Amino acid sequence: MKKTTTRLADGRELLYYDASDAADRTAADARPLDPVATTAEIRTDALLGDAVAVASHRQGRPYHPAVDACPLCPSAAGRHTEIPADGYDVVVFENRFPSLAGEHGRCEVVCFTPDHDASFADLTEEQAALVLDAWTDRTAALSQLPGVAQVFCFENRGAEIGVTLGHPHGQIYAYPFITPRTERMLASLAAHREATGRNLFDDVVARERTDGRRIVLDGAHWVAFVPYAAHWPYEVHLYPKRRVPDLLALDEPARTEFPQIYLEVLRRFDRIFGPEAPPTPYISAWHQAPVHAADRSQFALHLELFTVRRTPGKLKFLAGSESGMNVFINDVPPEAAAERLREVASES
């Protein structure tokens, strides 16, 4: 992998990740951009203790631009985008409209491919491996920034999720606090260890592999399953079989197998609702140990993938119970979801 670091016209950092050492990344950003001005601040909910990012400057971000105005495509003659080069493999750059900024963290955009009409599932294993390398490199760099407590790599895919740019891309958030969801995991982890002397993540994975009904894929180094208490209609958790706290700790066999397993899961997601259905909207989220956790080795890196679509043409909305009380109601039994994800393996 070749990594090239440069700056955009407004001073934001941009990094190219290339499979070839011969890639030329000397193109400069020719746009007359003003310096980035953000209003991001972090407020704390007094009743729940949750952190809320307030970022009014995001109201001006691009909203479903035409294909020929996509800011994530490579630059071309007469059209300059966020990527100055006329082609790329994988690109990461600071978000121009960040939810977190300055002392309150950092937000980055990850462009998976220059092909505007592709998706992550369309990538080759080599391309997916390069994205994994970029996630890993950025996790390492962002973890070193002062005040960063947690690094979160994720992808939102589909207008149903709220995506405003159709180009295949993800994001990375460097939070200045440990997120509420991770805090709950850490509390459950500590309670389980106190009660049993065992690791909760290990026990969850072992239970799923022993039960078998919710297993989707069981590789040499990764296992993918629908969790016992899945919140979403179709939800898959992907764990390396050797527990590690973050992406940096993955060994080479696990890094090599990951693209095979992940791409297969994504392709099955697109087949859940049949060949005539539009691409399945989803959120894909990496869970890594907080940067300064007391015993990071106890945390288990894993990826959670889920869709808000429950049947063709119908979405799972977070209504009263979910939004008001955080109690999810799932219309699709996890065992049925896993069975469907197994049977679509042959529907290529």
Side-chain angles (χ1 to χ4, degrees):
M1 179 188 75
K2 177 185 179 182
K3 173 183 170 183
T4 306
T5 303
T6 185
R7 293 278 173 180
L8 295 172
D10 54 11
R12 287 176 294 133
E13 188 174 30
L14 179 143
L15 305 99
Y16 294 98
Y17 294 88
D18 289 294
S20 170
D21 287 339
D24 180 4
R25 299 306 179 206
T26 57
D29 185 1
R31 298 172 297 173
L33 297 180
D34 294 326
V36 173
T38 66
T39 58
E41 62 173 308
I42 304 297
R43 298 185 181 183
T44 301
D45 185 311
L47 297 182
L48 299 178
D50 291 353
V52 177
V54 180
S56 61
H57 63 276
R58 285 174 53 78
Q59 289 280 31
R61 67 189 187 275
Y63 186 79
H64 297 296
V67 174
D68 60 3
C70 174
L72 306 185
C73 288
S75 290
R79 186 169 74 86
H80 301 292
T81 72
E82 290 281 63
I83 296 95
D86 60 4
Y88 61 85
D89 289 345
V90 175
V91 168
V92 178
F93 60 87
E94 287 184 76
N95 197 323
R96 193 177 180 191
F97 302 93
S99 303
L100 310 166
E103 65 185 71
H104 300 300
R106 176 160 159 149
C107 294
E108 298 183 340
V109 176
V110 185
C111 297
F112 304 138
T113 169
D115 185 350
H116 181 88
D117 297 318
S119 70
F120 201 114
D122 295 323
L123 301 183
T124 66
E125 291 181 13
E126 291 74 20
Q127 289 173 309
L130 188 59
V131 175
L132 177 62
D133 288 341
W135 282 332
T136 304
D137 183 72
R138 296 314 299 153
T139 294
L142 294 172
S143 295
Q144 297 301 313
L145 294 181
V148 169
Q150 184 173 352
V151 178
F152 176 46
C153 307
F154 65 100
E155 179 192 1
N156 299 327
R157 191 259 195 126
E160 299 93 331
I161 297 294
V163 174
T164 57
L165 294 176
H167 195 106
H169 72 288
Q171 299 181 66
I172 305 175
Y173 279 16
Y175 294 104
F177 51 82
I178 299 176
T179 63
R181 187 176 177 86
T182 303
E183 290 277 20
R184 293 183 67 179
M185 286 188 194
L186 293 173
S188 297
L189 179 66
H192 187 80
R193 188 176 185 184
E194 177 68 23
T196 68
R198 300 192 304 271
N199 182 276
L200 176 59
F201 291 107
D202 292 350
D203 283 359
V204 166
V205 173
R207 180 179 70 177
E208 294 295 350
R209 297 189 70 203
T210 298
D211 184 297
R213 290 177 296 164
R214 292 174 295 277
I215 296 293
V216 177
L217 287 169
D218 197 357
H221 305 284
W222 293 84
V223 60
F225 57 86
V226 178
Y228 173 75
H231 289 59
W232 299 93
Y234 292 90
E235 176 179 344
V236 172
H237 292 191
L238 183 58
Y239 279 78
K241 290 185 175 179
R242 182 179 71 88
R243 172 166 42 92
V244 295
D246 54 30
L247 291 166
L248 282 73
L250 288 173
D251 59 20
E252 281 307 310
R255 298 183 69 83
T256 299
E257 188 183 62
F258 171 76
Q260 306 164 24
I261 299 292
Y262 185 48
L263 289 172
E264 175 61 21
V265 173
L266 288 179
R267 289 162 186 168
R268 292 190 191 191
F269 255 56
D270 273 345
R271 297 197 288 265
I272 292 173
F273 303 105
E276 302 304 318
T280 301
Y282 64 74
I283 291 175
S284 177
W286 279 109
H287 292 267
Q288 307 192 76
V291 176
H292 305 295
D295 191 352
R296 300 182 78 252
S297 66
Q298 293 299 307
F299 196 89
L301 167 76
H302 62 285
L303 183 146
E304 297 184 6
L305 174 72
F306 61 89
T307 180
V308 297
R309 184 177 292 162
R310 55 188 177 88
T311 64
K314 295 181 181 179
L315 301 181
K316 164 65 178 177
F317 290 101
L318 299 190
S321 186
E322 291 90 352
S323 294
M325 284 294 165
N326 202 32
V327 177
F328 277 67
I329 301 168
N330 191 351
D331 298 334
V332 181
E335 293 75 18
E339 182 178 6
R340 178 59 180 158
L341 284 163
R342 288 193 297 268
E343 66 186 22
V344 295
S346 59
E347 297 179 4
S348 56

